[in-house]
Amino acid sequence: MILVQNLLVLTIVAGIAWVAYAASRDRYWRESAREMWRRRPVALVVVAIYLVIGLLDSVAWVGGTVAEDPTAAYLPRSVIDRIFKPEALKEASYSAPLADKAFYGSDALKHPGKHWLGTDILGRDVLYRTFKGVRVALLVGGLTSLVAIPLALLFGVSAGYFGKRVDDAVFFTMTVLSSVPSLLLLIALIMVLGKGAVQVCIALGVTGWVHFCRISRGEALKLREMDYVASARVLGVSDGKIIVRHILPNMAHLVIITFALSFTGMVLTETTLSYLGIGLDGSWGQMIDQARNELSRTPIIWWNIAAAATALFALVLAVNLIADGLRDVIDPRTRRERT
Amino acid sequence: MTSAAKADAPLLEVANLTISFPGDVGLVPVVEGIGFSIARGETLAIVGESGSGKSLSALALMRLVPRPGRIAPESRVRFEGEDILGLPVPAMRAVRGAKIAMIFQEPMTSLNPVVTVGAQVVEAITLHESLSRQEARARALEMFKLVGIPDADKRLDVYPHQLSGGLKQRVMIAMALAMRPKLLLADEPTTALDATIRAQILAVIRDVAARTGTAVLIITHDFGVVNEVADRVAVMYAGQIVEEGTRHEMLRHPKHPYTQGLLRSIPRPEARGGKLEEIKGVVPRPGQWPKGCRFHTRCAFAYDRCVAEAPRRTAVTATQGVWCHFAEEGRSP
Amino acid sequence: MAAYLVRRISYGAVTVLGVLFLLFVLFFAVTNPDDIARKAVGERARPEVYVQWKKNHGYDKPLFLNREYAASNAKRYTDTLLFEHYRSMLTFDFGRSDADDTPIADRLLKGAGPSLSLTVPLFILDVVVAVAVGLFVAFFRETLIDRTVLVLCIFTMSVATLLYIIAGQYLIGMLLKWFPISGYSGDSSVIWRFLALPVIVGVISGFGSDVRLYRTIFIEEMGRDYVRTARAKGAGDARVMVAHVLRNALIPIITNVVIAIPFLFTGSLLLESFFGIPGLGAMTVEAIQGNDFATLRTMVYLGALLFILGQILTDVSYAIADPRVRLS
């Protein structure tokens, strides 16, 4: 299990490197990337930081001393776990950020001044929990989209390109699925699949799939009618080759922008699910949900909700800003308007 | 100024008109320092390839240059002796549609698709004159008949998509001339139409303008159109006027190599079988205009002076002028 | 037009049947009646209780075909969960809640009023604000005003609804004490005090994406040739924006607005449950938390039904609003 997870991390890193390499060889993508870097440097850096934290939290192995963690001998711990040593740093209950004694009463903390964002009701370090949420958010937004989008592309493009029966079948499925309001569909799916990370991701994937399938079908329908596709077909180029050479490359901008938007959509939706009690364990949504009543305590306990909300907001805002920039840089429609 | 001179003063005088758009490094001029004039009732054709800035020049006369383009402060446009560019906005609105009207290249999209064509003509009238709906409608009907729309009273109540391209352009003309403007700007009015309809539309513009005493500025890339309607012609290249003169002078004795090239690239029935010439290359884009004479990169006769120095206007006759070093030196290219 | 309407409605009807099949697969095949019963009576309940519960709630029938009865009575061949599911849903006979045995239909009728009292003002305010701001920034496009509002939109879009609610309750309800934090009353003279906060929060949370949507629609219309024609006629800015741009933009706006109308009935999950409004949204949240599959099933079905209805309405209103469609 842990081996699979580490291999997955390796695959993702290799995948990112490969995409970066492939993009750098194409003049259009190289220039788009440079333009994006010029327009949205801060957002890109923020996303990169999240990505690094998420990946560091995904590489894990067994080992370490019991002083660090009683489970060290048999449970794998990630790089983030090893940096924070959550078990060793645990306090009795609440403490304010950078405080040196407990929030209620005047007991001295075990580790005064070490909790930059304070601790929660169980004495857990809030900064650590916030960092742990990064991986969950990336999983919810990124991995789900990465699985859903290729599937949606497959169905959408073949429906749009081949038309007739294939289209009828895909279109009807899409109509049925999209007739159910997406939040209700999501809830229904999670309820029948059961609560859990995999189930939630599947449910999010199915819901996101419908939306993107419709977009890619429409785009494929449009591209099919283009002159260069028609001429390729007259020349006897096979359908598969036409799709790979002419249809898919022209949808790349759409895929990227949709990916960014579906990412933020899913991360935000997860908070709603957390409130409904069917979210992912360790997500910021869950932190917010657990912390929402702490605001009515006196004196107010704000750091839990503030940390989770800020982490969530910064990630979603950065991705939204990137999506907005991408729309200007790589969407041919807005690009034409600029010139 | 004597009264005789005032009557002789042109309807429209344009001087030093410069239109620029913000580019990567500051303002990039798209039209640079052009000047021309139109007398009352006269038809001037501005001819040029796409990208020469001719449509923008027409829009500038209405102060309708699309954002973020702007007209340079040193530009002068005098209409009936009044500085159009300095008018306050409400006064300018009163000019648009009433004294200067405009029709466009795409009759398909230039009419509002969700409003009946009659109502659109009525709007053009009631914006400037407080008439009752019935009176305005009667005027619209009269205009429809004038521009030769069959079944005019029924056609008032249809939507644009129910009319053919030619009929839509007639509606546009009816709308433009409804207030009897002094000047009609026609931006490629026949380009989007079928060849068979073109002659009809040009005839409508010519005849109705003659009847209402309207001067016409027609923008075109087609010397065929020039031959049909123009009294005088100005040829534009890369944001500047390169030659101007009467129709006869320009068609028979063009002096600029560019004008000559444009004329040679028209298919002529009498020259059937002969080689159809074209001007090699394309109009350079704004911001990439060459130094010296802007045409030198495509001119077969260009020599070192053309590369180094921009030509000045040389009067060929009282009415014809050309911006070319050959004419300046009294040679022919 | 009539032929179009018939075609549109029949496609909608087929879609409803498809949705019902999807629901059947989800609620009877993916999660089966045994799971539902076990969750309802508890893991350690005696087998008789468990069997009795299944029988009471009609979960004891076979899934697709009733072969047992087929031999003796052909009529009862279709006495199965699948047919029962279609029959009950299509006749709006929703049965009883899995959680507390109350008739679902009663609760639907009771919840619709509170839901509408929240969603209708919220919806109207949302559309009016978003269209007005969208029109405003579209007019000032590419200026500082436009860019500021756009950045503001992206910021507001990046905040989770949950946080808007928490912040709204904390700031306006607890610190400023302008409105009660939550609660509801059937009395129409005080009801606005309870609805004010959820409506404000709802409008703010939808603001960003709606304004951007309408701005895009308006800017697209403003770039059209007929707008230039209107200016050339001498029409002023206000007239151009309202009589020409808005009038044309109404077509895509109607599409976006009409499709949302049916959802007014299903209410808002988060707002209702947080602000204690006893509507259908809160009812759905209760169903989720109480493993009440029968209610959930019904809510999903109604949501889909209303959505399909909304789509038909949208297409029809689109056809009415656009002369190019209406007259063809």
Side-chain angles (χ1 to χ4, degrees):
Chain A
M1 188 59 203
I2 191 61
L3 187 68
V4 174
Q5 190 185 318
N6 287 340
L7 280 177
L8 200 64
V9 174
L10 195 69
T11 322
I12 291 171
V13 173
I16 293 173
W18 182 77
V19 169
Y21 173 72
S24 73
R25 296 187 46 159
D26 184 285
R27 188 161 159 265
Y28 168 69
W29 289 110
R30 202 168 51 226
E31 277 174 9
S32 301
R34 201 168 295 148
E35 180 66 18
M36 274 308 294
W37 176 246
R38 201 178 64 78
R39 283 168 179 244
R40 301 271 189 271
V42 180
L44 285 169
V45 167
V46 168
V47 170
I49 292 173
Y50 276 91
L51 206 59
V52 168
I53 296 176
L55 287 172
L56 285 181
D57 195 23
S58 303
V59 183
W61 63 93
V62 177
T65 60
V66 178
E68 282 176 14
D69 190 319
T71 63
Y74 49 93
L75 279 184
R77 291 177 307 133
S78 73
V79 178
I80 297 289
D81 296 332
R82 281 160 201 276
I83 293 171
F84 278 91
K85 304 187 183 64
E87 285 302 319
L89 278 178
K90 217 164 167 180
E91 303 293 341
S93 185
Y94 290 120
S95 72
L98 292 172
D100 42 19
K101 55 184 197 305
F103 193 66
Y104 293 116
S106 52
D107 294 347
L109 289 185
K110 279 189 269 176
H111 305 278
K114 280 242 174 111
H115 302 288
W116 292 5
L117 295 181
T119 55
D120 67 1
I121 188 165
L122 298 175
R124 293 174 296 185
D125 188 73
V126 172
L127 182 64
Y128 168 70
R129 292 195 70 201
T130 310
F131 270 41
K132 291 295 273 185
V134 172
R135 180 166 156 267
V136 180
L138 294 179
L139 206 70
V140 165
L143 216 52
T144 311
S145 308
L146 274 184
V147 176
I149 285 180
L151 276 177
L153 266 180
L154 179 74
F155 284 98
V157 170
S158 43
Y161 182 77
F162 293 110
K164 294 185 200 121
R165 291 246 177 87
V166 185
D167 189 30
D168 288 343
V170 173
F171 189 71
F172 184 70
T173 316
M174 261 161 37
T175 315
V176 167
L177 280 173
S178 63
S179 294
V180 184
S182 58
L183 188 59
L184 283 176
L185 178 65
L186 194 58
I187 290 166
L189 281 167
I190 298 173
M191 287 301 282
V192 301
L193 291 172
K195 296 159 194 178
V198 180
Q199 285 88 335
V200 172
C201 285
I202 291 175
L204 281 167
V206 170
T207 328
W209 177 85
V210 184
H211 173 65
F212 191 63
C213 195
R214 185 171 28 203
I215 295 178
S216 56
R217 173 181 170 270
E219 195 68 12
L221 266 174
K222 207 171 71 194
L223 289 171
R224 191 180 63 163
E225 303 304 324
M226 292 288 174
D227 290 341
Y228 55 86
V229 174
S231 59
R233 215 184 298 167
V234 171
L235 289 171
V237 181
S238 72
D239 287 333
K241 251 188 193 155
I242 292 178
I243 289 177
V244 172
R245 289 240 181 98
H246 298 299
I247 307 267
L248 290 181
N250 283 299
M251 291 173 63
H253 66 95
L254 208 66
V255 172
I256 294 175
I257 293 168
T258 313
F259 174 78
L261 291 177
S262 91
F263 181 97
T264 57
M266 286 182 181
V267 173
L268 289 178
T269 306
E270 198 279 336
T271 60
T272 303
L273 294 180
S274 279
Y275 166 70
L276 296 174
I278 49 181
L280 253 68
D281 280 340
S283 72
W284 293 319
Q286 222 174 39
M287 277 177 80
I288 294 170
D289 184 49
Q290 286 164 2
R292 70 192 149 93
N293 290 326
E294 294 171 353
L295 287 178
S296 49
R297 286 173 185 252
T298 35
I300 176 179
I301 291 169
W302 50 269
W303 51 89
N304 266 311
I305 199 161
T310 310
L312 176 73
F313 176 67
L315 177 63
V316 173
L317 179 64
V319 177
N320 268 339
L321 284 170
I322 290 175
D324 186 63
L326 280 171
R327 221 189 308 231
D328 290 345
V329 174
I330 64 173
D331 189 331
R333 274 189 311 176
T334 46
R335 215 168 19 163
R336 212 180 309 123
E337 277 166 27
R338 270 196 299 152
T339 49
Chain B
M1 193 185 277
T2 64
S3 61
K6 197 171 183 183
D8 282 351
L11 176 71
L12 178 82
E13 264 184 298
V14 177
N16 211 9
L17 176 64
T18 298
I19 305 163
S20 340
F21 281 78
D24 287 336
V25 276
L27 287 175
V28 176
V30 177
V31 172
E32 200 168 17
I34 67 166
F36 56 85
S37 65
I38 301 175
R40 287 167 202 278
E42 184 190 39
T43 298
L44 171 71
I46 294 186
V47 185
E49 289 170 89
S50 48
S52 58
K54 54 193 193 307
S55 294
L56 268 181
S57 309
L59 286 170
L61 306 184
M62 292 278 247
R63 292 209 347 226
L64 286 176
V65 172
R67 274 194 253 188
R70 58 194 73 159
I71 302 170
E74 67 270 21
S75 311
R76 288 288 166 269
V77 177
R78 297 186 84 78
F79 177 76
E80 294 189 310
E82 202 169 15
D83 182 17
I84 288 271
L85 300 181
L87 281 183
V89 173
M92 188 61 218
R93 275 211 300 275
V95 170
R96 285 184 201 139
K99 291 180 175 163
I100 307 179
M102 188 161 185
I103 59 176
F104 301 96
Q105 183 174 350
E106 292 286 347
M108 313 293 168
T109 54
S110 293
L111 288 165
N112 188 335
V114 300
V115 180
T116 61
V117 291
Q120 296 188 51
V121 178
V122 166
E123 186 193 13
I125 298 166
T126 50
L127 275 170
H128 299 287
E129 210 172 312
S130 46
L131 290 181
S132 71
R133 279 196 72 82
Q134 284 76 17
E135 288 168 313
R137 200 180 149 89
R139 172 96 65 90
L141 183 63
E142 181 195 326
M143 288 311 296
F144 267 40
K145 286 178 179 156
L146 197 63
V147 297
I149 296 175
D151 288 334
D153 47 349
K154 275 185 214 147
R155 290 277 162 68
L156 281 173
D157 295 316
V158 305
Y159 289 93
H161 74 275
Q162 294 166 301
L163 296 176
S164 68
L167 279 181
K168 273 185 234 176
Q169 198 60 296
R170 283 176 201 256
V171 170
M172 285 295 290
I173 298 169
M175 191 158 78
L177 297 181
M179 288 304 295
R180 307 280 150 115
K182 296 281 173 17
L183 175 64
L184 172 68
L185 310 175
D187 183 5
E188 306 239 12
T190 56
T191 307
L193 301 176
D194 286 345
T196 48
I197 311 290
R198 274 182 208 179
Q200 294 174 19
I201 294 295
L202 286 175
V204 169
I205 293 175
R206 192 182 53 210
D207 297 346
V208 177
R211 216 181 300 176
T212 52
T214 305
V216 179
L217 173 67
I218 193 162
I219 307 285
T220 181
H221 62 271
D222 181 357
F223 264 102
V225 171
V226 172
N227 202 17
E228 292 279 331
V229 296
D231 300 318
R232 287 194 305 118
V233 184
V235 174
M236 271 187 85
Y237 183 83
Q240 293 179 324
I241 289 178
V242 294
E243 188 169 9
E244 61 186 359
T246 62
R247 174 179 58 180
H248 179 81
E249 288 164 342
M250 295 295 279
L251 291 176
R252 295 294 159 201
H253 311 291
K255 294 289 184 253
H256 198 285
Y258 181 61
T259 316
Q260 293 167 353
L262 283 179
L263 281 165
R264 270 199 302 273
S265 63
I266 312 171
R268 286 166 195 277
E270 68 269 20
R272 206 168 50 177
K275 198 170 157 240
L276 196 61
E277 286 182 47
E278 53 165 344
I279 308 171
K280 291 195 171 55
V282 291
V283 185
R285 291 176 49 177
Q288 293 164 6
W289 289 333
K291 284 204 166 54
C293 171
R294 287 179 187 166
F295 187 59
H296 84 253
T297 48
R298 296 169 75 193
C299 182
F301 313 101
Y303 63 109
D304 40 2
R305 192 177 170 200
C306 303
V307 180
E309 187 187 331
R312 281 173 306 173
R313 185 180 195 273
T314 306
V316 181
T317 66
T319 46
Q320 189 178 11
V322 61
W323 282 256
C324 178
H325 291 306
F326 284 95
E328 207 179 319
E329 294 167 12
R331 300 191 285 157
S332 59
Chain C
M1 187 73 192
Y4 171 76
L5 208 62
V6 169
R7 208 172 54 232
R8 192 64 197 79
I9 291 174
S10 39
Y11 194 75
V14 175
T15 315
V16 171
L17 296 181
V19 168
L20 282 176
F21 187 74
L22 172 77
L23 289 185
F24 179 75
V25 171
L26 287 179
F27 283 95
F28 293 95
V30 176
T31 182
N32 57 50
D34 293 334
D35 294 342
I36 299 176
R38 216 168 289 127
K39 275 179 187 156
V41 297
E43 292 288 341
R44 272 171 294 183
R46 280 173 299 144
E48 310 91 81
V49 178
Y50 169 76
V51 169
Q52 187 59 41
W53 189 91
K54 270 177 78 173
K55 201 174 165 109
N56 286 349
H57 288 84
Y59 283 123
D60 57 339
K61 294 168 186 169
L63 269 184
F64 293 101
L65 288 176
N66 198 337
R67 290 212 176 72
E68 263 173 66
Y69 285 119
S72 58
N73 187 347
K75 228 174 147 185
R76 301 180 69 178
Y77 195 65
T78 56
D79 187 16
T80 62
L81 288 175
L82 177 66
F83 285 91
E84 180 55 24
H85 170 66
Y86 270 87
R87 187 203 61 74
S88 62
M89 288 297 177
L90 290 174
T91 55
F92 297 105
D93 170 16
F94 299 125
R96 287 164 183 280
S97 151
D98 283 353
D100 55 11
D101 279 344
T102 51
I104 294 173
D106 286 0
R107 298 181 53 192
L108 287 177
L109 291 177
K110 233 184 274 165
S115 273
L116 286 174
S117 71
L118 167 66
T119 51
V120 170
L122 171 57
F123 178 69
I124 293 172
L125 203 64
D126 191 41
V127 171
V128 170
V129 169
V131 168
V133 176
L135 196 63
F136 179 77
V137 293
F139 180 71
F140 289 104
R141 70 192 179 287
E142 305 295 320
T143 64
L144 194 65
I145 299 174
D146 179 35
R147 254 170 253 145
T148 314
V149 174
L150 271 188
V151 169
L152 198 72
C153 284
I154 297 180
F155 270 72
T156 56
M157 279 165 67
S158 305
V159 178
T161 317
L162 194 64
L163 283 170
Y164 278 121
I165 297 175
I166 295 172
Q169 285 190 329
Y170 181 69
L171 286 178
I172 301 178
M174 254 171 80
L175 291 188
L176 299 172
K177 297 196 190 335
W178 287 352
F179 304 110
I181 292 176
S182 82
Y184 189 77
S185 161
D187 184 354
S188 55
S189 58
V190 291
I191 189 171
W192 68 271
R193 288 187 51 80
F194 291 108
L195 292 177
L197 193 49
V199 166
I200 293 170
V201 169
V203 168
I204 292 174
S205 76
F207 176 82
S209 53
D210 287 350
V211 167
R212 265 164 66 109
L213 174 76
Y214 291 125
R215 175 186 176 272
T216 313
I217 291 174
F218 288 131
I219 285 186
E220 206 171 315
E221 287 302 327
M222 284 166 72
R224 303 228 190 260
D225 290 346
Y226 68 81
V227 172
R228 192 177 55 186
T229 309
R231 288 195 193 285
K233 280 199 271 194
D237 289 333
R239 186 166 176 88
V240 167
M241 291 305 279
V242 175
H244 293 275
V245 173
L246 186 59
R247 190 146 170 197
N248 275 275
L250 272 183
I251 296 164
I253 290 175
I254 284 173
T255 318
N256 280 297
V257 167
V258 174
I259 206 156
I261 289 176
F263 287 119
L264 301 179
F265 291 93
T266 53
S268 157
L269 297 189
L270 287 186
L271 290 176
E272 285 180 19
S273 121
F274 258 95
F275 291 99
I277 297 163
L280 299 182
M283 181 175 152
T284 312
V285 174
E286 263 172 54
I288 296 165
Q289 282 156 353
N291 281 316
D292 183 353
F293 286 87
T295 304
L296 196 60
R297 203 159 60 212
T298 310
M299 292 308 299
V300 177
Y301 168 65
L302 283 182
L305 197 66
L306 290 167
F307 181 79
I308 293 165
L309 202 70
Q311 275 186 316
I312 296 175
L313 276 177
T314 307
D315 289 354
V316 171
S317 51
Y318 183 85
I320 293 170
D322 191 340
R324 284 162 293 189
V325 182
R326 181 175 67 218
L327 299 170
S328 63

